Amino acid sequence: MKLKDYAELIRIEHTFFSLPFAYSGAVLVRVPSLKEVILIFTALFGIRSFALIINNIVDREIDAKNPRTAARPIPSGRVSLKEAYVLAIISLVVYFVSAYLLNFYAFILSPIFPILAYIYPYIKRKYPFAHFWLGVILGGAVVGGAIAVSGDAPSLLDALARVPWVYVFAVASWVASFDILYAVLDVKFDTEHGLHSVPADFGVKNAVTVSKVLALIFGFLIVWSVKLYKLNSISSILISLGLFKLYKLYGIAEIDVVKAAKMSLDENIKVGLLVGLATLFKLVPMM
C-alpha cells in the first residue's frame, strides 16, 4: 500500500522525536498560543519530512548496497524517485507556509534549515563530521521553536537573543554523541565504500571516547539548563532519568560496543523524550 510506503519514507516518528525540542525552545521563551503550537508542529513536520526524503534520495545508491538500509522505500523500489521528489516539494511548501504564518523572523530564517538538510547527506562522502552537522540540525529545532514565539521582538537580533542557546548546544552535543556511537554499526560498510564517519576514520575506540566526551558535555549543559532556565523538580527528575540511561548505555559500551551501538538509537529516543518533556514541565506550577 503506497500510503504505508510514504509514511515509512517520511518516518513521522522522527517528527515526534524532534517535537519536544521545538516546543521546549518555545516554552523557554514564553507560553505559545494554540496557533503557534499547531504551526510549530506543521513546520517541523514539513522540514523533517523534507530532510528525510532528500537524505533517502541522495543516498539511494549507497542504501541499496547496505544490508541495513536496502529495504528502505526508495532503494527497494516501493517509492519511485518522482514520487519522492513530489513528497519533498509538498513537505517544503508545508514548512515555508507554516513559517510565514508564524511570524516575519521565522519566515526570513526558514531557508537555513532546508539548506542544512540538503548538505547533510553529502558530508560523509568527504568528511567524518556528519554527526556534528546532524547535531546542529536537531539543535535547530530548539532555535526554531524559540523564534516561532518571538515575532514581537523589536529586531531579528533581539529575537535571536531570546533563543535558549545553552539548551541548543546541549541538544546538539547529545545528538552528535549518540550518532557517533550508532555509526559503529556501519564501520565496515563505510570503509569499503569510501564513506567517512568518526568510527570509520579514527577507529571504534577513539569514536567511543569522542562520543563519551560529547555525552559529558551534554550532561553538563543540560544540568546547567535546569538552573539557568529555572526548571522545576519534575524537570530535574526527568533529566536525571535521561542521564542515568546514558550512563548505563556507555557502561554497556565498555563491555560490548556493538551491542551498545545497536541499542543507541532506541535508548536515545527515550533519553530525548525525557529531556525534551522535562523542559515542557516548566509550565506545570509547583506547590
Side-chain angles (χ1 to χ4, degrees):
M1 186 177 178
K2 279 293 181 182
L3 285 178
K4 184 179 178 182
D5 295 331
Y6 294 158
E8 186 180 341
L9 178 64
I10 65 174
R11 297 168 76 180
I12 193 170
E13 68 273 14
H14 280 244
T15 298
F16 290 112
F17 174 63
S18 307
L19 200 58
F21 299 109
Y23 285 142
S24 292
V27 165
L28 291 176
V29 175
R30 66 167 172 80
V31 179
S33 67
L34 179 59
K35 174 190 172 183
E36 289 165 337
V37 168
I38 294 170
L39 289 173
I40 288 171
F41 173 80
T42 56
L44 190 64
F45 176 77
I47 190 60
R48 288 296 295 169
S49 298
F50 170 79
L52 287 162
I53 295 166
I54 289 300
N55 185 61
N56 277 266
I57 289 172
V58 174
D59 281 351
R60 63 190 183 279
E61 293 179 3
I62 294 171
D63 287 345
K65 298 173 185 176
N66 189 339
R68 189 174 65 81
T69 56
R72 287 179 177 175
I74 295 176
S76 67
R78 288 182 286 127
V79 174
S80 71
L81 208 53
K82 181 180 178 181
E83 289 172 322
Y85 275 118
V86 169
L87 287 172
I89 292 168
I90 292 171
S91 299
L92 207 54
V93 169
V94 169
Y95 166 67
F96 281 126
V97 169
S98 299
Y100 176 79
L101 292 174
L102 276 164
N103 60 63
F104 175 71
Y105 303 130
F107 185 62
I108 63 171
L109 292 173
S110 60
I112 294 173
F113 297 108
I115 293 169
L116 291 175
Y118 183 79
I119 292 171
Y120 168 71
Y122 291 101
I123 295 175
K124 63 187 174 187
R125 287 161 167 78
K126 288 191 175 183
Y127 308 106
F129 306 122
H131 321 284
F132 301 96
W133 198 269
L134 186 62
V136 169
I137 290 172
L138 192 54
V142 182
V143 177
I147 296 298
V149 296
S150 297
D152 61 335
S155 70
L156 176 59
L157 285 178
D158 286 301
L160 289 170
R162 296 182 183 183
V163 174
W165 290 107
V166 171
Y167 189 77
V168 171
F169 286 113
V171 172
S173 300
W174 163 66
V175 172
S177 75
F178 82 70
D179 195 59
I180 289 171
L181 183 58
Y182 189 61
V184 167
L185 298 176
D186 285 333
V187 168
K188 185 174 183 292
F189 181 85
D190 289 348
T191 303
E192 289 174 351
H193 292 82
L195 301 174
H196 299 273
S197 70
V198 171
D201 286 39
F202 302 105
V204 170
K205 185 177 180 180
N206 289 329
V208 172
T209 300
V210 172
S211 180
K212 284 180 181 177
V213 170
L214 288 166
L216 286 171
I217 293 171
F218 161 67
F220 170 75
L221 292 176
I222 203 66
V223 170
W224 185 14
S225 294
V226 172
K227 182 176 178 61
L228 185 63
Y229 303 119
K230 298 179 174 61
L231 303 184
N232 58 35
S233 56
I234 298 176
S235 303
S236 299
I237 291 169
L238 292 175
I239 286 170
S240 297
L241 288 172
L243 292 175
F244 181 66
K245 278 193 166 294
L246 276 185
Y247 175 77
K248 285 177 64 179
L249 182 64
Y250 283 103
I252 293 169
E254 288 292 322
I255 302 166
D256 187 342
V257 68
V258 173
K259 180 180 179 181
K262 288 178 179 177
M263 295 172 61
S264 178
L265 188 58
D266 288 342
E267 286 302 299
N268 277 286
I269 285 174
K270 296 171 188 174
V271 172
L273 288 172
L274 287 167
V275 172
L277 291 174
T279 312
L280 300 183
F281 272 97
K282 181 182 174 73
L283 298 175
V284 178
M286 302 299 292
M287 298 296 292

